[in-house]
Structure formats: C-alpha cells, structure tokens
Amino acid sequence: MAHMFIFGLGYTASRIAEALRSRGWVVEATGSAGDVDFTDGSAVRDALTRASHVLSSVPPSDGSDPVLGRYGHDITQDWIGYLSSTGVYGDTQGAWVDETAPVGAGRRTARAECDQRWLAKGARVFRLPGIYGPSRSAYDRVQEGKAKRIDLPGQIFSRVHVDDIASGVLAGLDGPAGAYNLSDDLPAPQNVVIEEACRLMGAEPPPLQTLADANLSKMALGFYSENRRVANGKAKRVLGWQPQYPDYRSGLRSLL
C-alpha cells in the first residue's frame, strides 16, 4: 500500500495529505496536525521504515535543514519530495525565472542551500511562490483590515492556490527527480489582487500608500524587496500538471 510520511504537517502539507488519503494512501506525519513527534527519534524512524514515500515541508532553522540534520541518513526511499520556495531565485527585477535560473543570490540563502541539499539527495523539489487558499487569502486580509496597497510601480509577484500545490505534488509522484516551479500562469502586482478581492466582496479598496508609510513587518518588507515572474512550463511538460486556478481571478472566485 502506498504510504507517505510527511515532515511538517502544516497548512500546505495538510492539503497534500488530504489529497493522498482520498486516493487510498496511508499518511503519517510530524507537525502541528501530525501524529508523530519530530523529536521522538525512535517513533520517526519506525514510521520511516513503513513509508514508501517521504515529503518534507519543514523550512530551514538556524540556517540549516532540521530534517536532513536529524534524519537525513534514515531517509532512503526511492521517492522523496521537498517543498521549497521560489525565493531561492532572489530578485530578478521582474524578469521571468525557470528552473535553470541560478539560486542563492537573494535573501533566502539558507532556503537555497536546503533546496540544493534535497536535490542532491534525489528529491522532487517543488518551488512555491506566494501561497493562498481557504482562510489564507486576500479576502481574509481585507476582512481583518490588514490588506495594503503599496505604491511600487512595476512590482510583480507569482502566486499559487494551495490545491494546485497538492495536485502538483501528486503529479510529481510519477515524475523524475528535480526542481519544479508550481505557480499560476499570471504573475501580477499585489495591488490588483487586493483590488479584485475588494471588488468581489463589494468592499472599498484600502488607500494607496508609500512603502515607508505602510509600516510593514520585516518579513513583508523582504517580500516587497524582490520582484520576479515565475515560469511553470517544466511542471506542465514533464509532470503533465495543469493548475486548476491559472490566475488570481479564478482562484479568488473559487474562495468566494
């Protein structure tokens, strides 16, 4: 029986687990929603002996990969997956990037190093842009009064619906090892996403602000410091993947 062990059963990995279970898979996992304690080495290693597939969604910690650091020698499955970030490409000033682009020059150097370590281990590395979905979208930010429109002409981002990540990982079950960008087809400024969410909700868009006046967190400022368009052609060609929500408009409509 197909058996997946997931390190880090958070928001995205939980959707992947749901998709696998609906197809008859057994899923065990660490993390907030998991059933195995990451710090219990005996329990984790026992679960790994039962697993035919392993997926990690655990981000770097203190500059290194906690999963590889603690259990790297125990992960010997033929199929290994890792959820990475398109942040590994750094700032391209709005240019398109695909999986052949260099990594490690941006603010996420630790993520890039972990990304490369998983690739060297023979993993399917799924590089993800901004993730949205139920309870985590522009609608929620508007309702909570946290949505902002920043006056940064030319600033553009890629994003992906969480269910399209799940379908991409499932498509990768039969695909070769390597890196895959899972993003939608229409990179767009964050402002137009907020404006579309407000239009669909019948709400007034938040005022346009300068970056200095927006009082953003350090993490959010880092987000706005990079500008790129992410190409998804390899996942389509090699894995046969197609996003169900190819742009922010269809994704927002599905959530409404």
Side-chain angles (χ1 to χ4, degrees), residues 66-188:
V67 173
L68 290 178
R70 187 158 188 159
Y71 299 111
H73 293 300
D74 302 297
I75 301 172
T76 59
Q77 283 75 7
D78 291 334
W79 195 96
I80 302 168
Y82 177 62
L83 302 187
S84 185
S85 166
T86 56
V88 301
Y89 297 119
D91 179 28
T92 66
Q93 299 182 358
W96 287 93
V97 291
D98 64 13
E99 293 82 354
T100 66
V103 302
R107 60 192 171 93
R108 296 199 172 184
T109 54
R111 173 68 88 172
E113 291 171 3
C114 296
D115 178 296
Q116 295 302 294
R117 288 183 65 190
W118 282 100
L119 282 174
K121 196 170 176 62
R124 286 80 178 158
V125 172
F126 303 97
R127 293 174 178 162
L128 312 175
I131 301 168
Y132 71 99
S135 302
R136 189 176 294 188
S137 74
Y139 293 134
D140 301 281
R141 292 194 296 278
V142 171
Q143 289 173 336
E144 294 165 5
K146 297 178 180 178
K148 295 181 183 294
R149 291 193 303 145
I150 310 297
D151 188 12
L152 284 174
Q155 193 76 12
I156 201 160
F157 308 103
S158 291
R159 53 193 53 78
V160 64
H161 192 290
V162 67
D163 288 342
D164 284 331
I165 299 173
S167 68
V169 172
L170 263 61
L173 294 172
D174 296 319
Y180 299 96
N181 294 335
L182 299 182
S183 63
D184 71 14
D185 297 336
L186 186 65

Side-chain angles (χ1 to χ4, degrees), residues 40-53:
D40 187 340
S42 178
V44 171
R45 292 183 180 95
D46 284 347
L48 286 172
T49 63
R50 296 189 290 271
S52 56
H53 297 63

Side-chain angles (χ1 to χ4, degrees), residues 48-62:
L48 286 172
T49 63
R50 296 189 290 271
S52 56
H53 297 63
V54 172
L55 174 71
S56 175
S57 72
V58 178
S61 177
D62 297 326

